[in-house]
Amino acid sequence: MYNLKLMKRFTLRSLPFFLPGLPLIFFLLSCSKNETQPTIDVTSLWETAPLGQPMNIPTDKQWESKTFSAAEMNLFASLDTVNLSGTVMPLKVIGPGIKDPSTPSMVYPNPFSKFFNITFAFDSSFAGNVIIKLVIVDQSLHPVLKQAVRLSTNSGRTQFRFWPDLPAGNFRLYYTLSAQSNPHFHKSWGNIKNVL
């Protein structure tokens, strides 16, 4: 009985000393929680040969026109300072994709070593410049490479060869096409694999 009274007296007397330390204890406990990072599947590939022929039959929606989430659009924030003067928006964007027979491929080769190509087809009368903004991310959606390039065409088609400095592995390539009148008018993504 005496020990219980002593414990109560000790607890009540020491309470003012412990109260200021409670926020620090809660802060330290909250810092130790495991924060889960968003992850994306970068393993599913639309495989293509060096000349653009499809090597597998894709069943997902890679390389098709997309609506990006706020987090995905935020990947392009540092590229939004690119000069868009002299660029125009085509009436139509076809590709990259193999669903339209007039577009031979999306990204090829995929998997790639050292470089890959992206082919775009626009309306056949399109002549002008557009800006492609590329962001390559890892499975945790962390950017590993960003670049913006001016593409030119006078026949409705253009191709871009990209030499990314990437380690071996699987990644996701996000891209947008931009014009002065309409930044990010076309958005898409697809998974790529560098085999070095």
Side-chain angles (χ1 to χ4, degrees), residues 14-174:
S14 58
L15 190 59
F17 297 108
F18 286 116
L19 281 177
L22 281 178
L24 177 63
I25 291 170
F26 286 123
F27 173 75
L28 292 174
L29 288 174
S30 69
C31 289
S32 67
K33 288 182 185 174
N34 258 343
E35 295 293 326
T36 58
Q37 295 291 326
T39 58
I40 54 175
D41 178 16
V42 295
T43 60
S44 172
L45 290 179
W46 286 27
E47 296 180 16
T48 51
L51 296 178
Q53 303 90 343
M55 303 295 287
N56 63 355
I57 305 297
T59 58
D60 56 16
K61 304 276 186 193
Q62 292 183 50
W63 308 112
E64 293 182 5
S65 182
K66 305 262 187 258
T67 301
F68 285 174
S69 69
E72 290 170 321
M73 282 307 298
N74 193 42
L75 295 169
F76 295 89
S78 65
L79 296 173
D80 284 341
T81 59
V82 172
N83 183 0
L84 298 178
S85 64
T87 58
V88 291
M89 185 175 138
L91 297 175
K92 185 165 77 169
V93 179
I94 306 167
I98 59 174
K99 293 187 176 181
D100 187 312
S102 67
T103 305
S105 187
M106 53 290 189
V107 167
Y108 65 93
N110 194 20
F112 68 94
S113 175
K114 297 187 176 97
F115 71 90
F116 58 82
N117 302 294
I118 304 177
T119 300
F120 289 97
F122 306 108
D123 48 286
S124 60
S125 63
F126 178 69
N129 297 318
V130 296
I131 300 291
I132 182 170
K133 298 176 183 181
L134 303 135
V135 179
I136 297 176
V137 300
D138 62 16
Q139 67 182 6
S140 297
L141 214 59
H142 294 127
V144 293
L145 191 117
K146 295 182 178 190
Q147 189 168 351
V149 176
R150 185 174 293 257
L151 302 176
S152 298
T153 183
N154 60 7
S155 61
R157 293 184 64 82
T158 189
Q159 179 175 306
F160 170 60
R161 180 166 283 182
F162 191 53
W163 299 77
D165 185 17
L166 294 172
N170 290 61
F171 303 91
R172 178 165 293 172
L173 184 153
Y174 285 92

Side-chain angles (χ1 to χ4, degrees), residues 177-189:
L177 296 176
S178 292
Q180 191 169 1
S181 63
N182 193 348
H184 306 293
F185 65 82
H186 179 80
K187 302 176 240 0
S188 189
W189 60 259

